[in-house]
Each structure stands twice: as structure tokens, then as C-alpha cells.
Amino acid sequence: MIDEYINRGVPEPLVRGLVKEAEDVKLTKAEIKKALDRLENEYKDAYISPGEAIGVITAESFGEPGTQMTLNTFHFAGVAELNVTLGLPRLIELFDARSNVSTPAMEIYLDKAYTKENKDVKKVASLIKETKFREVASEFVINVLKLQVEVTLNKKNMADLHITEAKILEALQSGLKGVVVKQSKDGIIVLKPSSVEEDLKEVYKLREKAKECFIKGVKKISYVIPIKIGNEFVILASGSNLAGVLSLKEVDATRTITNNIHETAEVLGIDAAREAIIYEAEKVIKNQGLDIDVRHIMFIADLMTNTGKVKGITRSGITGEKESVLARASFETPIKHIINAALVGEIDPLDSVIENVIVNQPIPLGTGLPSLVAKMKNARI
Amino acid sequence: MADVYLNEKFVGEVQDTQAFVKQVRDDRRIGKLPETLNVFFDEVNRDVYLDNTKGRCRRPLIIVEDGESKLTQEHTKKLQNREIKWKDLISQKIIEYLDASEEENSYIALSENELTKDHTHLEIGPNIILGITTSLVPYANYGQSTRLNRGSKTQKQSLGLYASNYLIRMDTDASILHYPQRPITRSFMHDIAAYDQHPAGQNVTIALMSYKGYNMQDSIILNKDSVQRGLARSTFFRPYTTEELRYAGGLVDEIGIPNKEIKGYRSETDYRLIEEDGIIAPGIEVKEDDVIIGKTSPPRFLGDLEEFSIAANVRRESSTVVNHGEIGTVDMVLVTENQEGNKLVQVRLRHLRAPEVGDKFASRHGQKGVVGAIVPAVDLPFTTSGIVPDLIFSPHSLPSRMTISHLIEVLAGKVGSLSGRYPEGTSFSSESPELLRKELFSFGFREDGKEKLYNGITGEELEATIFVGNMYYMRLKHMVANKIHARASGRIQLLTRQPIEGRARGGGLRLGEMEKDCFVAHGASLLLKERFDSDRTVLYICEQCGMLAVYDAYKNRKFCPRCGGNVEINPIELSYAFKLLLDELRALGISPRLKLKSKY
């Protein structure tokens, strides 16, 4: 009986879910069948009619609340928490699929063993946060005579960040190529360019480079705050490095996310990127106190990811792939599109909406979509 | 040690800054230094600024010495008895004016009971935070500030008696309210601004209820009987001006009945109203395109046309005609001279404007709305004492806007009209609503201002009690008669063959891009096409080359200029704007071709 409904196009999880529930409350076979019939009807009622202008409806569903959004965009300046771009700028960034997110951020969930105690969480947080040499040093001095950089370490910061001197030396050695790293007896770290032609300029450069040298943590994660969500600790991080963070064993890889769609697609695949787009867009909309049906967001996410790559709604992304010259030209940079089309002699079949609005023909949507074909007996033409 | 600047210029240095500043202030107060001089000590940069220049914003404050206000009971009593004036307070150094920078050095108390030894000044009253128009709003301190802003803004748009000499004025877009009234609920600014001499509204009886859905979304219901009695009736004036200009070569415009030979002569009926001097007479009713001042101008390009044109040197028609869609009666004709000595003729039209559906009204609390229906009094609800409201206001306009002042005005207006006095509605020092309620009760009304109402149509008692009272309502200058706009067919643009823009020129109403999206979203394909058919054209296309072909209707022959007559040529229908796009592409060296295909 179950297969019968599945074969008729009702999604399997729905059918099985209903049957399971029905069996739990001990319905009879006939009653289950009645329920399944109802389910099938409801499901098919929810179908979108052929010729429905889903694209325009989605665009309007975003466009109308979008006008309310523009006004209250940067209201969150000065909040002590992580400052994340929200509102219309973020939505634009998201749908354009920009590779440089203006405020990269991560939500890092931890393995169960580390979520109870504040102390544990702080330790993991210090593991994740990228520590640069500058943060554990108290003074960078250039010794002009010996042409070397002498660095005094900040013991207190080192203790806070759980870093030993040996570790720092090791990190410096691997981080600074072509530099001799030594530690003098009084604990001062001496950096000396190993190249033959030593000059002061090189030493200056070395000092600046050494300041930014990576010591420990996950690269690109510049700031972390542990926050209690429900009864577990979660680390919010500014900066994004999904691959780096997931490689830590303390992190719960199944729930940790970044707000960078491209990175998600790279590390977790295109389906994850789709989910990420939906999650991020919903976050912005919820934050603004607006209500847009998820299915509109899902539709956009589908469009952006269905080729297997993340593509933005831009002239170089989805819109640029439209078949019609007129449609592309009416979106952005018309001259470029027309010239390129002229160069190769493109043909516009006038199959879609905008083209037909331009030439003023009925658009192939809604009432303009179906046409009547009469089959005539003994027709003489 | 501090630098001293007088009017932004360095003048010297002082040792003891505090003593110096105090000295300047004391000298100013005893009249040794001008009253307009302000002094400011910049504590951060340790500079002293003296300023006596024009254009600074200064405001009056009561001087405080040793925690005692210099304005005493005695002074207020004298002020009330009109024994002393504001001027005297200034000359007696009870009040002084501070500019924005001296204010920084002052410690100003908001009210007398919070004065301490440290205070230097006392605020005259909380009212002074409000401007002139804003002070006209009664009970403003009970409302929301944004609504207060809107309230004072709408007051500037109200019709009233804007000038008592309006009959001899030629203001553009002026209106006069026929029966303006002084407001029942008043504020001190009504006295100061002599509002009674130029009132801008009327006291109406309002009921706070809905009426058959005709007052949705801020619209209001007017009582037709009240309207016919003259409620919110106004006259609209529109002046038309023309001038006899002088041109190079001694040529001049001529005001008079234009000769039939001139270029651009209108029909004789258009000129029927003007008299021999070319000007219309007062009292004549006119409609659009009627000539009110006949005028001819010399030819535009003198000389070059003379050789070729037979109608050489003809004068042009340049009469003044009534604007598109307007009607009116000639109210006044003025013939005079302008500064250059040219003859100047002005004609003022007048048009009676009784309120109609779509006209805009507002109370003084930022509650504006348009008339949704004008209902005969017999159909309107009435109270037990037989009172029928002049205006019905929707209760939905209140909760989200929180204009409590609107409600209090209704209450105060009711008390005022019952007691025959003008309740004080000045912000921060108004009559308290509690006392108003008690007074209302003493007149035999419900304390909360609500009344039992009866349905005017069925006579049945309404289930709910309805808030009824009196308030001041203004008619705003936005009237449908000046804005109504529709078009079937008419003038089109030369380039795109689409309708021209603008109401005054009889243009079309644009169905823009977002409106188009709505049609698309509804799938209303053919309706969309029909809406965009304004520039529909039929083009003949050569099927061989895809370019425009020629149809010679006279010989009933089709041919392609390139491929000749023996090719298939078919008509297609498309928008002229698209044809224009194709032409422009051709001008750019791109050759778009049209490939035809049968749709069916």
C-alpha cells in the first residue's frame, strides 16, 4: 500500500512518517488508507500550477521587505559582541555570492566532552584563535650594530595562551624562512637574516614580518568568544577557516559552520553550500524581524547551486547564463552583452519573459503559456 | 593665562579667566557692554571667545543668582496686569539672551523648584522647546513627538484666511476657507500669533467609529448636510499672467483679439470670450482651452523665412489659455505695467471647491486622511440628544500612532462647547483631562466622553458606546480636483511613439517596471500586452534578409529595398520602442535581423 502512494509521486518520508504515526496510535488499515488519501490530496494541492511566475514572486517577496530593510541597516554598531554585517548589505553579498565576505564568522560547536566547563571551552578557544608572534612578545628591538632583531617575550600572555618558549622557537623557525632563530641566555629571542647581504632595510622588513608570524591556533581566526547557547558552550569566531577548524579533534564537525558559502562548498560540498545559503539568508531576514517563506529562499539557493558550483545572481553568474541576449542586456551592462552577441551572431529565440515584454508580445507565463491546438478532420487549408 | 578672541579675532590675553568672564557678564548685565555680546570660555583649549556678530542663534533665559530666580511673583503679577512688558524684563536684566556657546558655560534649571546654588539660569518654561506652529498643537505633551512634527507640518498646508487682503492679491495656488473658525481648544500661541485673525480650520463634531468601511485606512466620512451648510467649503484662486514683451528690431507683442491670418490661429469659439481689448471680463465662466488673454507675437526668425515663405512675416499666436482640465470664473482682471514699462495683464480665476471624495483633511495631531464618503445626515448615527457628527474618524488610526492628544482635544472641545469657554490646551500647562472629565460629567454627559448612538438607517441602538466630541479640523490644500488624472488616447512622443508625460499636458499614467512585474507575477499575460500596446506598430519584414520591407498601400505592393519584390514579406506586430532599439543598433553598426516563425 505504501509503495502505491510513493509511485504516485508522494514523497517517501511523508508516506512512511504518516504510516508510522498511524500505527503508533493504532489506526485500522482503512483509516490509514483514508489518511494517506488525504495526504496525497494535500500534497498535490500544494503543487505550483504550471505557468506560475515563481521567479517574479520570489523576487517580489524579497524586494518588498527589502525596502523596509535598507533603512535600519547599521543599527548594531557598538554592541560588545562580534559585529557581523547584517541587513540588506549582507543579503546582497550573499546572493551575489561574493568570495570576500565583509565579516567572516564561524559558529564552532564542540565535542560533548568540552562543552560543560567554562575552563575547557576557554582552552579550546585558545587553540582555535590564531596567535601571532606580536601577541606573545613585549618588545621588538632592532640591534643596528649586529643587524638583528631582539625580541623580549611576554611571559604573562604566554601563560594565558598556554605557549612554551620551545613552541615559539619552533613556530618561528618554520614560519620565517631564511632567518636564523636563536635564544640568548637571558631569554631574549634573536632573529638574524641568514642572507649574505645584510643591510638595515632587511632587518626592518624582518621585524615587521616577525610580528605577524603565525605561532599557533587556526589561521585566519582573529577573534573568539565562547557563548552559552542552551546548556552548552559554543564558540563564535570572527574570521573563517572551516577546514582548519574541522581538523581539530575537540570540534564537533557535524554542526560547525561558517558564513562563507564558497568555503562551505569547497570543504563540505555543494549541498552544504545550499543549506548554508538558506541558513544565512534566513538569519538576516529573522534578524530584521521580517517574514519571508523559506521556500523562496530555497528556490534562490537551488538556483545558485544547481550547477554544482556556487553562482551568484549577477551578470557573471546566473543572470549572465540566460539564453536570451535581450534578457541579459536588460539586466546589467547592456552594451557589452549586445556587442558580444553581435560579434558571434547570436539568435534570441524570444522564449522567456523580458524579451517578450520588450517586443510587446504575450509573455509565456500564466494565461500566455497554454495555447490551443485544434485537430481538424478533413481540414482543408 | 588664556587667549581672548573677539568676533573670532585674537585681541589679547588674560590672566584670571574666571574673573574676566564674570566681569564681562556683570558688565553686560549692568549695561556697560552691549546686550548682544556673549562670552564663552572654552575649558578644553583654555580660550575665551567674545561674540557680538550677527546671525547667531540666541535664546532667552531667566537669570539666576545665588539659587534665586530673578523673576519674582511680583514681576509675574505685573506682567499679568500689563504693567510691564518683555522689554522691561530685558532692560531690568531679569532675562538675558544666550547664544549656543555661552549656553555651554551655563547651568540651566528646567523648573524653579530644582534650583540650586550652582544654577546660573532658569528656563522660562518647558513650552519653549516647541516652535511657533508646533505650539499651536493643543495637548502636545500627551502625544508622540513624530506625530507632533507631522501635526505642525500639516497645519502649514491648511486652508484658511491666509491674508485679509486676499481679494486684491495675485497669489499662485491660493485658497480661502469660506467660514474659518477660531479653535475651541487653544494654546498660548493662538493668542501670541493672533490666530483668531487668520484661523485655518473649523470646529467639527466627530464620532470615533467606523462607518460601512468607507473610512478604512485613514479616510474619513463627512456629513453631507454639514457640507451643504458650508463645512470646509473653499475657493481656489489661479492667476494667469501675460506681458507685452519687446523684441530686438522694435517688434512687440500685442494684446488683443488675434487676426485670422496669424500662425497657429485657434478656432473662433476659443476666442469668443475675450473682449475688444483682448482681455476677458470678470464674471465670465471659462473652461479648459478657452482664451482669456488674446496675444500675438512677432515671427520667431525674422528675415530668413521672408524669401521663401508666402506667408512671410506673419505673427504668431501666443494667447493665454485656461490650463488643461481646469474650470473657473474670472474673478479679477488687472492691467498694469511692469518694471520695464511693458504692459502686464493678470487674470485671476476663481473656483468654488465644496469638499468632495478624495479631498484631504487633518486634525492638529498629525492625523490626516482623505474623504472616503459624504453621507446624508439621515443615514449617519445620532446621539440620544439628536446630535449627528459632522465627521467620522476611524479608531484604527489611533493605537499604533499613540496620539493621545487627539483624544484629549475631542474631550476638551466637548467641554468647551458645552460650557461656552475655550479650554487651555497649551503643552505642559494645559487643563488636566481629569478636571475636563469632571466638568463634562457635571453637564450630564458620561465622564469618558462616550455616548450611546443610534444607527441612522435602521434606527437601532449601536451595541458599543461611541466617543463623540468636538475638535478642530483643517482642510488641506491637496484637492482631488487638482490631481485627478486619466487618459484614453492623446498626444504621443515623437521619438518613441509612447504617450507623453504629465497631467497638465494630458499625458498618460506610466505603468512602470515594478507594476509590470505585478502583471507578470499574476500571469496576466494578455492584459500586460494590452497595457503596453500604446506604441504598437505593424512592420513588414522581408523573410529573406530579416530587415524592414516596404508596404506601398497606394499600389498595394510589398517589396524589400534589398531583395526586391519577389520575396516573402509578412507583417508583424511589435512595440515601436523595440523597432527604435533595432534602429539604434543599426546606427551602431550592428545589423539585427528578424527571423519570422508562425506562432501556431
Side-chain angles (χ1 to χ4, degrees):
Chain A
M1 190 173 72
I2 289 172
D3 291 338
E4 185 192 324
Y5 285 95
I6 293 167
N7 289 339
R8 270 193 269 153
V10 188
E12 199 176 327
L14 280 183
V15 178
R16 291 198 190 284
L18 183 110
V19 171
K20 195 174 166 286
E21 289 279 320
E23 279 166 355
D24 283 353
V25 294
K26 298 202 173 87
L27 290 187
T28 63
K29 268 239 159 112
E31 281 169 332
I32 294 177
K33 192 167 159 41
K34 217 172 157 187
L36 282 169
D37 282 339
R38 180 86 189 274
L39 174 74
E40 187 181 357
N41 275 338
E42 292 277 325
Y43 182 73
K44 297 213 160 144
D45 265 2
Y47 272 7
I48 283 173
S49 327
E52 189 81 78
I54 49 168
V56 177
I57 291 171
T58 297
E60 286 184 345
S61 305
F62 274 99
E64 193 275 329
T67 55
Q68 298 168 38
M69 229 143 80
T70 39
L71 296 172
N72 40 29
T73 304
F74 289 113
H75 272 198
F76 307 96
V79 179
E81 276 186 38
L82 284 182
N83 226 333
V84 182
T85 309
L86 280 172
L88 201 65
R90 172 65 183 146
L91 212 57
I92 292 169
E93 176 180 282
L94 195 64
F95 291 152
D96 280 0
R98 304 242 172 94
S99 43
N100 297 319
V101 182
S102 61
T103 46
M106 292 186 77
E107 277 170 45
I108 301 164
Y109 288 85
L110 302 179
D111 202 79
K112 286 228 170 63
Y114 300 90
T115 55
K116 298 276 155 16
E117 296 280 328
N118 203 354
K119 187 178 66 184
D120 292 339
V121 179
K122 275 200 171 151
K123 204 173 166 191
V124 181
S126 78
L127 272 179
I128 292 171
K129 187 185 176 300
E130 179 184 17
T131 307
K132 289 175 175 166
F133 192 32
R134 163 163 56 85
E135 290 163 62
V136 286
S138 56
E139 201 180 11
F140 287 84
V141 179
I142 290 176
N143 190 326
V144 186
L145 281 178
K146 292 183 182 168
L147 286 173
Q148 63 187 21
V149 183
E150 295 165 7
V151 188
T152 323
L153 292 176
N154 186 333
K155 300 279 187 219
K156 193 183 162 287
N157 282 3
M158 281 168 63
D160 285 351
L161 293 162
H162 311 279
I163 301 171
T164 58
E165 285 184 3
K167 255 192 189 161
I168 291 177
L169 284 174
E170 197 185 310
L172 286 174
Q173 245 140 21
S174 60
L176 300 168
K177 296 273 158 9
V179 177
V180 181
V181 183
K182 270 187 273 179
Q183 193 173 21
S184 64
K185 276 168 212 157
D186 47 354
I188 287 171
I189 290 177
V190 178
L191 306 170
K192 199 175 168 71
S194 58
S195 56
V196 197
E197 285 174 55
E198 297 168 338
D199 69 59
L200 202 57
K201 224 166 137 191
E202 284 290 308
V203 184
Y204 266 112
K205 267 192 196 163
L206 174 64
R207 184 179 71 167
E208 295 311 310
K209 213 174 138 194
K211 275 183 184 172
E212 298 302 314
C213 183
F214 172 76
I215 300 295
K216 70 165 243 187
V218 179
K219 277 186 185 169
K220 289 185 194 164
I221 305 288
S222 56
Y223 190 61
V224 285
I225 330 175
I227 272 184
K228 197 156 194 181
I229 297 178
N231 50 5
E232 71 170 329
F233 279 101
V234 177
I235 296 171
L236 297 184
S238 99
S240 170
N241 185 349
L242 192 59
V245 171
L246 292 190
S247 64
L248 297 173
K249 67 172 191 333
E250 292 89 347
V251 168
D252 181 356
T254 59
R255 290 188 293 162
T256 297
I257 52 168
T258 167
N259 68 357
N260 188 329
I261 307 301
H262 288 278
E263 211 181 311
T264 310
E266 220 170 87
V267 178
L268 298 172
I270 197 72
D271 274 324
R274 176 181 174 273
E275 289 295 331
I277 293 170
I278 298 168
Y279 179 81
E280 290 294 322
E282 254 202 308
K283 199 162 76 183
V284 175
I285 289 152
K286 288 262 166 62
N287 173 280
Q288 297 278 329
L290 302 172
D291 188 27
I292 300 176
D293 198 297
V294 222
R295 280 167 288 191
H296 294 306
I297 309 169
M298 284 160 75
F299 175 51
I300 292 189
D302 284 343
L303 266 182
M304 289 173 67
T305 51
N306 68 3
T307 55
K309 274 182 189 157
V310 178
K311 280 188 175 151
I313 303 167
T314 57
R315 58 178 179 275
S316 53
I318 293 167
T319 318
E321 283 168 6
K322 281 192 179 177
E323 195 187 0
S324 163
V325 190
L326 291 175
R328 270 179 282 136
S330 67
F331 183 65
E332 271 169 8
T333 57
I335 298 168
K336 203 177 98 187
H337 283 292
I338 287 169
I339 290 174
N340 288 341
L343 286 175
V344 295
E346 243 179 86
I347 293 171
D348 191 327
L350 302 182
D351 279 340
S352 191
V353 180
I354 313 168
E355 306 92 284
N356 282 296
V357 173
I358 292 172
V359 300
N360 196 23
Q361 292 293 320
I363 51 166
L365 266 185
T367 52
L369 187 66
S371 52
L372 200 61
V373 180
K375 203 179 202 177
M376 283 188 262
K377 268 185 189 167
N378 311 319
R380 265 177 279 158
I381 302 163
Chain B
M1 196 71 160
D3 292 351
V4 180
Y5 297 85
L6 175 64
N7 296 338
E8 306 278 299
K9 273 194 189 115
F10 177 76
V11 286
E13 288 175 339
V14 285
Q15 284 295 339
D16 187 350
T17 49
Q18 294 298 346
F20 175 72
V21 169
K22 192 176 180 304
Q23 180 76 47
V24 171
R25 277 187 196 138
D26 288 347
D27 283 356
R28 180 181 65 198
R29 283 176 191 172
I30 59 168
K32 259 169 126 182
L33 287 170
E35 184 264 322
T36 51
L37 181 84
N38 284 108
V39 60
F40 165 57
F41 174 53
D42 182 348
E43 282 168 39
V44 181
N45 299 313
R46 302 199 63 76
D47 289 328
V48 178
Y49 291 94
L50 300 168
D51 212 328
N52 195 27
T53 47
K54 286 178 185 172
R56 288 166 299 141
C57 234
R58 297 163 82 237
R59 67 190 196 91
L61 288 166
I62 301 168
I63 298 170
V64 172
E65 263 169 19
D66 301 322
E68 290 285 321
S69 165
K70 288 190 82 175
L71 187 82
T72 57
Q73 293 282 327
E74 209 177 316
H75 290 113
T76 31
K77 206 172 272 174
K78 275 186 180 168
L79 276 170
Q80 272 164 353
N81 298 335
R82 300 188 180 246
E83 283 164 35
I84 52 168
K85 284 180 166 177
W86 180 260
K87 256 204 293 200
D88 302 315
L89 292 180
I90 294 168
S91 58
Q92 286 173 35
K93 305 299 163 195
I94 289 161
I95 279 169
E96 67 178 356
Y97 282 78
L98 298 192
D99 70 356
S101 50
E102 186 167 346
E103 224 180 352
E104 296 291 316
N105 288 160
S106 317
Y107 187 39
I108 304 164
L110 286 176
S111 65
E112 201 161 359
N113 48 28
E114 62 182 46
L115 276 177
T116 64
K117 287 258 182 225
D118 297 330
H119 281 105
T120 60
H121 294 88
L122 172 65
E123 208 74 73
I124 291 169
N127 274 307
I128 60 156
I129 63 168
L130 305 175
I132 293 171
T133 24
T134 316
S135 301
L136 291 172
V137 181
Y139 292 98
N141 53 322
Y142 287 84
Q144 213 193 350
S145 69
T146 52
R147 288 286 145 191
L148 189 53
N149 273 322
R150 274 170 241 229
S152 51
K153 232 168 136 181
T154 45
Q155 290 206 70
K156 296 175 201 166
Q157 301 175 10
S158 59
L159 303 186
L161 188 71
Y162 72 99
S164 46
N165 63 344
Y166 70 94
L167 279 173
I168 54 163
R169 291 169 70 103
M170 279 289 181
D171 300 291
T172 43
D173 280 338
S175 280
I176 287 288
L177 190 68
H178 285 195
Y179 307 105
Q181 295 175 345
R182 55 170 80 164
I184 293 177
T185 316
R186 303 169 65 82
S187 89
F188 77 110
M189 193 53 80
H190 286 102
D191 297 324
I192 293 173
Y195 197 80
D196 295 350
Q197 262 86 67
H198 55 91
Q202 289 170 324
N203 295 297
V204 295
T205 305
I206 77 155
L208 194 69
M209 60 183 287
S210 69
Y211 186 82
K212 289 183 168 186
Y214 280 101
N215 59 347
M216 283 191 276
Q217 291 279 320
D218 279 348
S219 52
I220 53 167
I221 309 285
L222 284 187
N223 180 334
K224 191 171 185 181
D225 295 30
S226 307
V227 169
Q228 287 173 342
R229 269 179 237 126
L231 173 77
R233 191 161 290 229
S234 70
T235 294
F236 178 70
F237 294 102
R238 162 98 67 199
Y240 287 86
T241 309
T242 198
E243 203 182 324
E244 267 187 357
L245 285 173
R246 290 166 202 280
Y247 301 90
L251 296 164
V252 281
D253 286 340
E254 261 172 39
I255 291 176
I257 303 177
N259 206 308
K260 274 185 183 165
E261 275 87 64
I262 61 152
K263 209 169 132 195
Y265 186 77
R266 290 162 196 272
S267 71
E268 237 168 273
T269 46
D270 284 341
Y271 295 107
R272 74 191 185 282
L273 299 171
I274 53 173
E275 301 185 341
E276 265 150 52
D277 59 355
I279 308 168
I280 202 162
I284 297 175
E285 288 188 6
V286 292
K287 58 176 200 316
E288 64 177 9
D289 289 338
D290 283 343
V291 173
I292 42 178
I293 307 164
K295 193 175 84 171
T296 57
S297 299
R300 201 164 269 157
F301 307 104
L302 193 68
D304 41 293
L305 280 174
E306 264 174 296
E307 295 168 48
F308 310 105
S309 171
I310 316 157
N313 217 356
V314 276
R315 295 178 66 84
R316 280 182 297 125
E317 146 77 17
S318 59
S319 303
T320 304
V321 295
V322 178
N323 283 350
H324 183 82
E326 270 187 27
I327 50 168
T329 311
V330 179
D331 191 48
M332 186 174 81
V333 173
L334 176 79
V335 182
T336 180
E337 259 179 19
N338 71 1
Q339 284 152 329
E340 281 104 52
N342 297 337
K343 188 177 180 185
L344 179 78
V345 178
Q346 284 188 308
V347 173
R348 190 175 67 202
L349 297 191
R350 122 174 78 84
H351 185 222
L352 178 71
R353 296 277 171 85
E356 56 180 322
V357 171
D359 281 354
K360 198 173 177 184
F361 284 79
S363 76
R364 289 177 288 179
H365 311 274
Q367 289 281 15
K368 51 179 187 266
V370 293
V371 177
I374 298 176
V375 183
V378 285
D379 291 339
L380 286 170
F382 52 91
T383 67
T384 27
S385 50
I387 289 174
V388 182
D390 297 311
L391 190 150
I392 296 177
F393 179 81
S394 170
H396 291 290
S397 309
L398 289 163
S400 59
R401 298 181 191 145
M402 300 184 277
T403 49
I404 309 303
S405 50
H406 188 99
L407 297 173
I408 299 174
E409 194 196 327
V410 176
L411 198 73
K414 196 169 182 176
V415 171
S417 47
L418 286 167
S419 62
R421 63 187 184 86
Y422 295 99
E424 178 68 36
T426 306
S427 316
F428 305 106
S429 55
S430 51
E431 281 180 41
S432 87
E434 286 73 33
L435 291 177
L436 288 173
R437 278 158 191 258
K438 278 191 188 130
E439 200 177 337
L440 186 61
F441 188 70
S442 72
F443 287 113
F445 282 82
R446 272 176 66 125
E447 204 184 24
D448 57 7
K450 288 181 182 171
E451 284 182 48
K452 205 82 213 157
L453 253 63
Y454 296 87
N455 186 320
I457 298 165
T458 63
E460 283 169 352
E461 187 180 316
L462 296 183
E463 211 175 293
T465 48
I466 303 291
F467 192 54
V468 180
N470 292 65
M471 76 183 306
Y472 199 60
Y473 241 83
M474 301 171 296
R475 184 180 190 191
L476 305 187
K477 65 182 179 187
H478 306 283
M479 284 172 274
V480 261
N482 293 330
K483 298 190 172 182
I484 192 165
H485 184 31
R487 140 170 177 157
S489 57
R491 283 167 61 195
I492 52 166
Q493 277 166 12
L494 195 65
L495 183 71
T496 59
R497 298 198 185 170
Q498 284 168 1
I500 55 161
E501 214 178 297
R503 187 182 105 96
R505 286 176 287 165
L509 262 183
R510 186 185 178 82
L511 185 101
E513 182 154 358
M514 294 178 92
E515 290 78 13
K516 172 214 79 182
D517 288 343
C518 284
F519 281 86
V520 174
H522 280 271
S525 176
L526 297 163
L527 178 59
L528 176 67
K529 181 185 179 303
E530 196 175 291
R531 278 306 314 248
F532 283 148
D533 264 353
S534 62
D535 62 343
R536 192 224 295 101
T537 31
V538 173
L539 295 180
Y540 287 85
I541 304 294
C542 167
E543 295 237 24
Q544 188 168 310
C545 65
M547 305 271 266
L548 284 188
V550 181
Y551 173 61
D552 186 343
Y554 185 61
K555 290 178 185 163
N556 194 18
R557 200 167 65 94
K558 290 178 274 189
F559 65 96
C560 172
R562 187 164 166 270
C563 315
N566 290 326
V567 282
E568 190 159 344
I569 288 164
N570 282 310
I572 57 162
E573 184 194 293
L574 41 68
S575 63
Y576 190 80
F578 184 63
K579 191 230 166 216
L580 187 70
L581 173 72
L582 296 182
D583 289 344
E584 288 190 5
L585 290 179
R586 284 190 192 103
L588 290 169
I590 296 170
S591 167
R593 311 290 173 112
L594 296 172
K595 279 190 170 179
L596 303 192
K597 187 177 83 179
S598 176
K599 258 208 283 198
Y600 309 104

